[in-house]
Amino acid sequence: MASFFSSALRSLARLLVLPLALLLGLAGPVQAAQWTAEQLTVSGNPDGAQVSFSEQEIKAGRKIFNSSCGECHAGGITKTNQNVGLDPETLALATPARDNVDALVDYMKDPTSYDGEYSIADVHPSIRSSDVFVKMRDLSDEDLRLMAGFILVAPKVQGLQWGGGKIYF
């Protein structure tokens, strides 16, 4: 009986040694994918001036975005209106175009309808309506800039998945 248990124990040890060795010794350190300077550079204003963000700024922007806007805009979609997402094409076709950092910051401060005809601050979270939308109260201009950077960099990193809707979730 003792030999049966020692034999079973040796078999179990052999089964565990290879995966453990691969996991610990042979795999080496895991390297995160580095974003390119091109991915981190976006339009800064309507005139086309470019602005570059660091990876740390984009990660900070993603964190702020997810906690402030992610409930309705997870993955760059708009849950309340699937016709209007945060993908580059949709942002570019808005009036005024919202495909640059300054325009997105302006929108987050005082949002307008997609055609730019009227304010939607009473129904869309913004700095202007922070008395109603409490998540917006503590956001600084820098926080808004970081969120805008994340929104514009995300499609360069995620591709069609950003703003692609439920087919990617």
Side-chain angles (χ1 to χ4, degrees):
M1 182 91 152
S3 66
F4 170 76
F5 284 116
S6 65
S7 173
L9 193 56
R10 278 192 297 259
S11 295
L12 181 62
R14 280 188 221 124
L15 286 173
L16 294 176
V17 169
L18 181 60
L20 195 57
L22 288 172
L23 185 64
L24 296 176
L26 302 178
V30 176
Q31 295 291 325
Q34 297 293 314
W35 294 338
T36 66
E38 182 181 334
Q39 289 173 316
L40 295 169
T41 302
V42 296
S43 182
N45 62 38
D47 298 329
Q50 299 289 297
V51 61
S52 292
F53 289 88
S54 69
E55 287 187 42
Q56 292 75 23
E57 287 177 311
I58 297 302
K59 289 176 183 178
R62 178 180 56 213
K63 184 176 179 181
I64 299 165
F65 175 86
N66 286 339
S67 67
S68 301
C69 309
E71 192 171 318
C72 293
H73 292 290
I77 63 165
T78 301
K79 289 182 182 178
T80 57
N81 182 356
Q82 282 79 31
N83 295 317
V84 181
L86 299 178
D87 57 282
E89 296 80 19
T90 302
L91 293 174
L93 293 173
T95 303
R98 301 293 185 180
D99 58 351
N100 62 78
V101 173
D102 289 350
L104 281 172
V105 168
D106 177 64
Y107 182 86
M108 289 183 261
K109 288 183 176 184
D110 189 10
T112 58
S113 59
Y114 192 68
D115 61 6
E117 292 293 318
Y118 55 91
S119 174
I120 60 169
D122 55 338
V123 295
H124 190 281
S126 65
I127 299 300
R128 180 176 169 195
S129 60
S130 63
D131 57 329
V132 177
F133 299 103
V134 295
K135 289 183 178 182
M136 302 300 286
R137 286 185 185 165
D138 296 326
L139 297 179
S140 67
D141 284 350
E142 179 63 9
D143 292 334
L144 300 179
R145 186 184 80 80
L146 293 174
M147 282 196 295
F150 167 69
I151 291 167
L152 295 171
V153 166
K156 292 180 169 189
V157 175
Q158 296 180 22
L160 293 176
Q161 290 180 338
W162 179 258
K166 63 184 178 180
I167 62 170
Y168 293 106
F169 287 96

